[in-house]
Amino acid sequence: MNRFSPISFLICVCLFASSVVADTVRLTTRPDQNISFDVSVTGPTRISVVDNRISKILQSSSNFEMVNDEGTGDVFLRFAGGQPTSESGYIVTETGHTIGFTMNPKTDLENHTVLVTLRGVSSSSAPSQQANSSPNASGFAVNSGGSGSSRTSNLVSFTRQAYAARIGNRPASGQRVGSFASYSAGGLIARISVVSARSGQIPAERQFYRSSRTLAVYVDRVISGGKVWVIVVEDTR
């Protein structure tokens, strides 16, 4: 009877491991161009811009939960469920560069890493800008009323939708300080405004909790022309 030798068994194990654990993918592009990469639906995916920091990822909707790590500026994705399909959006860096992307979900990837190098720009990593006493390093603060991660996830998703629908790639520097626009859906309203970042300091989220109807506040982490975007989410019901 044929038997696997220890060596052949080891080779089989190594081949199996290499089939499910992807190597780091390195991509090079210029600002305002597009990239395509795979993302895992079984494990985390890390996205990093070399010598830069990711400020935000803009999408109208997504089947992936996203966490922006304040320490590294990287974004970590985790599949949240639903039907895995290709998704598109924009990566925005803290230095103001935008990269279009399409990500394709894969079931045979684990701990996937995507490293993006921007060509034709100076290699300088902007220092982290944090609001004083900010309750959330990514600039998103949820009112303490209520509980549950699903509630927070819904508020984050709605805020992303409002940002994509009303702000898009507009820099705050090109707008007047004050009320800019609003966005409503599902019993929620996002009141979007432009606020001065005096002395280069990003305003704290807490100063925008001016009503008992306020559920969440998002303050952009990128100062543009001495201004930042602010989104206040309220309950309309």
Side-chain angles (χ1 to χ4, degrees):
M1 181 174 62
N2 292 331
R3 296 178 181 272
F4 282 117
S5 69
I7 294 178
S8 64
F9 177 74
L10 179 60
I11 292 174
C12 289
V13 170
C14 292
L15 289 175
F16 175 76
S18 64
S19 69
V20 297
V21 180
D23 292 334
T24 297
V25 173
R26 300 177 184 273
L27 303 174
T28 301
T29 186
R30 291 184 178 275
D32 300 320
Q33 292 187 342
N34 296 292
I35 59 175
S36 179
F37 53 84
D38 295 336
V39 291
S40 173
V41 298
T42 58
T45 296
R46 168 188 167 223
I47 303 175
S48 177
V49 178
V50 177
D51 292 329
N52 218 309
R53 295 167 55 88
I54 298 174
S55 168
K56 51 184 167 279
I57 289 184
L58 303 179
Q59 292 178 274
S60 58
S61 62
S62 177
N63 286 325
F64 289 82
E65 295 178 351
M66 301 185 185
V67 175
N68 194 325
D69 185 85
E70 179 66 17
T72 64
D74 296 345
V75 167
F76 294 86
L77 309 180
R78 185 176 71 85
F79 187 62
Q83 180 62 39
T85 58
S86 295
E87 299 180 5
S88 298
Y90 295 94
I91 298 170
V92 182
T93 70
E94 287 191 356
T95 51
H97 298 298
T98 303
I99 309 163
F101 72 85
T102 298
M103 58 185 192
N104 306 300
K106 301 292 183 180
T107 58
D108 57 349
L109 295 178
E110 292 183 1
N111 300 324
H112 192 44
T113 297
V114 180
L115 297 181
V116 182
T117 298
L118 283 175
R119 188 170 62 244
V121 300
S122 59
S123 58
S124 61
S125 179
S128 171
Q129 297 170 312
Q130 298 186 32
N132 294 331
S133 303
S134 172
N136 188 301
S138 64
F140 190 88
V142 177
N143 196 342
S144 58
S147 61
S149 60
S150 61
R151 173 180 177 272
T152 299
S153 178
N154 289 337
L155 290 172
V156 171
S157 177
F158 173 75
T159 304
R160 285 176 178 159
Q161 293 173 23
Y163 195 110
R166 297 292 185 261
I167 299 175
N169 292 324
R170 295 183 183 90
S173 59
Q175 313 300 324
R176 293 182 179 179
V177 171
S179 179
F180 174 77
S182 63
Y183 176 85
S184 301
L188 299 175
I189 182 169
R191 303 189 187 280
I192 304 169
S193 59
V194 178
V195 177
S196 294
R198 295 182 177 86
S199 302
Q201 294 295 313
I202 298 174
E205 292 88 349
R206 66 177 182 273
Q207 73 183 68
F208 300 101
Y209 279 89
R210 299 167 181 167
S211 167
S212 60
R213 302 175 69 90
T214 301
L215 300 179
V217 173
Y218 169 78
V219 178
D220 202 342
R221 315 317 287 168
V222 177
I223 299 175
S224 176
K227 306 171 187 176
V228 293
W229 291 106
V230 174
I231 301 178
V232 177
V233 179
E234 297 179 351
D235 189 349
T236 61
R237 290 170 290 192

